[in-house]
Amino acid sequence: MPCYILTDKAQDKRFFKKTLLDPIFYETPSALISALRKVKNGQVVILDSTIRGFNKAGLKTAQLIRQKDPDAQLIMISDNASLVGQCFEAQVGFLDFIIKQDFSSAFLDRLLRAIAKANLNLRRILELRPIPIRLPHGKTSKVFDLTRVIYITTDKGTHHLFVHEADRLSRIHASMASIPDCHDSLFQIHASFTINIAYLHDYDCGTHIVTMVTGHRLPVSRLYAGALREALRWPTAKKGVPIWSSQQVAVSNPPAAVE
């Protein structure tokens, strides 16, 4: 993931080019802010506290960024330790304030740890944020949070489906064939089952069974098995041997009443 860096110092640029994978430099606050407006929220931003002799340039820039982007991960670097208090009193939400110390190994170590923490924070933000999707429901549609949909199954003998979520069970009037078109994460594995791949824990291609992180075991029809492996880029495995296992966290709350 790129790091957006505000600095007008040639020495800083040389250092970051050598130590960071994808630094993008800006010498003025206006140039940085203009660039951030063109990308999605939630970027890692490193700000030099002093730009062109103005020792509050980094802080003022951080305040402007925060007004637009509540998810931005802001890291301040400075030669002036006296600015620490001012930066954190401003309540902008800095991830860290790092004294340059002539680009010592201690500075580099702390900077890399701050960037790693920033990227972890952004991943968590994305994972926890609801993803609204519309599933067909008769002549209308019904909104669900994709991050809570585990799998969908047919209500036998009817034209309805059951949507199994983390903490509830909902019923919609729809055909199973129409569900995978609603989102790429919804993948049909059987005439009676569509799963949210994000909740897939294990697939045994020998027995044609998927296990969800909730512990539910669902059959995979031979009609869909090849497409499932291709979609997830799974290699061919020996009969009876699981070929993939995720690190998803199991959902502890069982489905409740049908809505």
Side-chain angles (χ1 to χ4, degrees):
M1 187 171 185
C3 289
Y4 291 79
I5 302 174
L6 175 64
T7 183
D8 60 351
K9 301 172 182 63
Q11 183 182 7
D12 290 16
K13 292 180 183 179
R14 288 194 295 270
F15 173 79
F16 288 127
K17 284 180 180 178
K18 291 179 181 178
T19 56
L20 302 183
L21 291 176
D22 194 7
I24 305 175
F25 298 103
Y26 301 91
E27 294 190 357
T28 65
S30 60
L32 171 62
I33 292 171
S34 177
L36 291 174
R37 288 196 184 107
K38 299 175 183 177
V39 296
K40 65 180 181 180
N41 282 2
Q43 301 294 334
V44 179
V45 184
I46 300 173
L47 304 161
D48 194 332
S49 65
T50 303
I51 299 294
R52 297 181 179 177
F54 181 41
N55 63 9
K56 289 189 178 180
L59 176 57
K60 297 296 184 182
T61 305
Q63 291 172 324
L64 292 173
I65 293 171
R66 185 59 74 210
Q67 290 175 10
K68 170 188 176 292
D69 184 359
D71 298 336
Q73 303 295 301
L74 305 176
I75 302 169
M76 182 72 80
I77 60 173
S78 181
D79 293 313
N80 187 354
S82 66
L83 294 176
V84 174
Q86 295 180 39
C87 286
F88 286 102
E89 285 172 6
Q91 297 184 346
V92 178
F94 284 105
L95 183 63
D96 205 349
F97 185 106
I98 309 174
I99 304 302
K100 290 183 184 178
Q101 299 176 334
D102 296 324
F103 300 112
S104 65
S105 58
F107 168 79
L108 176 60
D109 179 65
R110 183 163 173 177
L111 177 65
L112 294 178
R113 283 189 283 114
I115 293 173
K117 176 65 174 177
N119 286 319
L120 178 61
N121 288 345
L122 293 174
R123 285 197 297 272
R124 286 174 174 170
I125 289 170
L126 290 175
E127 288 170 0
L128 294 174
R129 182 161 292 160
I131 302 175
I133 60 168
R134 286 189 174 275
L135 298 182
H137 183 45
K139 294 182 179 180
T140 61
S141 61
K142 190 172 181 178
V143 177
F144 290 85
D145 176 4
L146 180 65
T147 64
R148 303 191 66 78
V149 175
I150 301 168
Y151 69 97
I152 300 169
T153 186
T154 55
D155 183 8
K156 292 183 179 180
T158 74
H159 296 289
H160 291 82
L161 304 176
F162 283 125
V163 181
H164 295 253
E165 297 178 84
D167 55 359
R168 66 177 179 176
L169 188 64
S170 301
R171 196 166 181 253
I172 59 174
H173 181 69
S175 67
M176 188 64 77
S178 66
I179 299 301
D181 291 334
C182 297
H183 197 278
D184 290 342
S185 291
L186 297 175
F187 201 93
Q188 188 169 359
I189 61 170
H190 189 278
S192 300
F193 296 98
T194 290
I195 64 170
N196 181 352
I197 290 180
Y199 279 94
L200 180 60
H201 171 67
D202 183 272
Y203 173 39
D204 186 329
C205 65
T207 59
H208 297 286
I209 295 292
V210 296
T211 304
M212 310 304 287
V213 297
T214 55
H216 294 96
R217 291 166 56 83
L218 307 173
V220 179
S221 167
R222 293 184 183 275
L223 177 65
Y224 298 100
L228 179 61
R229 286 195 297 269
E230 182 179 351
L232 298 175
R233 297 182 181 178
W234 283 333
T236 302
K238 295 180 180 179
K239 184 176 181 181
V241 179
I243 54 179
W244 179 82
S245 179
S246 75
Q247 299 299 319
Q248 297 285 350
V249 177
V251 178
S252 58
N253 297 325
V258 176
E259 291 191 349

